[in-house]
Amino acid sequence: MAEIGKDIAVAKNHLDNGDLVSIPTETVYGLAANALSEDAVVKIFEAKNRPSFDPLIVHVSKASDVKKYVTDLSSEADLLAKKFWPGPLTLVLQKNDLIPLSVTSGLDTVAIRVPKHTLTQKLLKTLEFPLAAPSANPFGYTSPTTAFHVNSQMGSKLPYILDGGNCDVGIESTIVKCVDSKIEVLRLGGISIEEIEKVIGRPVDAVRTSTDNPERADAPGMLSSHYNPGKKVIFGSVEFNLRKYPKARVGVLSFKKEHKNLNITKQVVLSPKGDLKEAAKNLFGSLRKLDARGVEFIIAEKLPDEGLGRAINDRLLRASQ
Ligand code: TXA
Ligand code: MG
């Protein structure tokens, strides 16, 4: 198992040596390494069992650092950066030669963001390089939102987990590609499309997530099957599926109201007050809780398809595939 602590000097030491450290962010925990070192980056792919065609997100401490690694920042990208960084937004931009191709899986664009978490901000400021970090889970599984989640899934693969408590946002960043003056959403996440459109003052040019169009997901990692908690997940009406499987021992993930039914072995309500932010924050931890002994499968209810609800539905749909 990895050591868990809050010591930035220890984290820095491992990273300086080219080793992996799990870092807290406001979205989910990341599995970080020196983004400018091919050798360090390879360790991320190995530890996660991640296919080499799935590029990584680069994390920097402030928006002005982004310019060191990209060739162009359009005025709309700049508006988004100013509004949402530090925060759960990743911009895909034209990269320069400093970013190794192993980070971008051979693409000429780089996904980059400024995370908002005090510990990770402090860590990034002490480092002389940016951090490449995917979510700190084995490929295809639920993303971790506590240091404990990281340790239980990845503990044997890394020396140190920087413990920053529970992640505030709870789902990954929204990925927006800003190339050739187009604004394209590649992954729904912690910033809603409505918020993005408000800032740019127009509709986005495209939403290319696997949920909207499975054949045309443009982020290479947006495979339709993802976020698997272990048990089978059925995404849809709770009442309908309880009737369909009357003899099963079922776990239920509901949005705001508890379902009363004797077949339900375990139930988690994401947000009793119906708040989508709270629901996002609780999402991955709740899926883990439902992946419990005695539960044969999980029925996850569809949330309202607006704001963060769309990003949550995207995760649930893909957990069910
Ligand atoms: O909130 C987050 O974004 C978290 C935290 C740790 O920052 N990170 C995260 O990373 O979710 P990961 O690796 O689980 O997801 C990154 C996604 C993948 O789907 C990948 O395909 C996409 O970003 N991506 C990375 N570089 C890209 C690029 N140049 N063009 C298009 N998509 C890219
Ligand atoms: Mg991930």
Side-chain angles (χ1 to χ4, degrees), residues 36-97:
L36 306 184
S37 157
E38 301 257 6
D39 291 344
V41 166
V42 164
K43 291 183 187 171
I44 297 178
F45 285 91
E46 280 171 2
K48 272 194 68 125
N49 211 359
R50 182 181 178 107
S52 56
F53 61 75
D54 190 359
L56 307 175
I57 296 177
V58 172
H59 298 69
V60 295
S61 77
K62 52 186 189 306
S64 55
D65 286 350
V66 169
K67 302 202 176 94
K68 292 187 207 162
Y69 306 110
V70 304
T71 57
D72 182 42
L73 194 69
S74 68
S75 55
E76 286 182 322
D78 195 46
L79 278 178
L80 292 172
K82 286 210 168 82
K83 173 74 183 176
F84 297 117
W85 281 344
L89 174 76
T90 295
L91 295 181
V92 171
L93 303 164
Q94 210 61 249
K95 82 176 196 67
N96 68 20
D97 288 344

Side-chain angles (χ1 to χ4, degrees), residues 49-167:
N49 211 359
R50 182 181 178 107
S52 56
F53 61 75
D54 190 359
L56 307 175
I57 296 177
V58 172
H59 298 69
V60 295
S61 77
K62 52 186 189 306
S64 55
D65 286 350
V66 169
K67 302 202 176 94
K68 292 187 207 162
Y69 306 110
V70 304
T71 57
D72 182 42
L73 194 69
S74 68
S75 55
E76 286 182 322
D78 195 46
L79 278 178
L80 292 172
K82 286 210 168 82
K83 173 74 183 176
F84 297 117
W85 281 344
L89 174 76
T90 295
L91 295 181
V92 171
L93 303 164
Q94 210 61 249
K95 82 176 196 67
N96 68 20
D97 288 344
L98 285 177
I99 300 289
L101 287 171
S102 52
V103 169
T104 66
S105 300
L107 298 174
D108 58 8
T109 53
V110 61
I112 196 156
R113 83 179 190 98
V114 181
K116 184 180 185 172
H117 189 291
T118 326
L119 270 185
T120 292
Q121 272 287 335
K122 279 190 188 151
L123 174 64
L124 283 166
K125 288 200 172 91
T126 69
L127 294 171
E128 272 145 38
F129 45 80
L131 291 175
S135 51
N137 50 279
F139 185 71
Y141 285 85
T142 311
S143 304
T145 50
T146 67
F148 174 80
H149 295 161
V150 179
N151 212 15
S152 56
Q153 278 182 306
M154 300 291 290
S156 62
K157 308 276 174 78
L158 74 169
Y160 196 67
I161 301 169
L162 193 59
D163 186 356
N166 288 336
C167 299

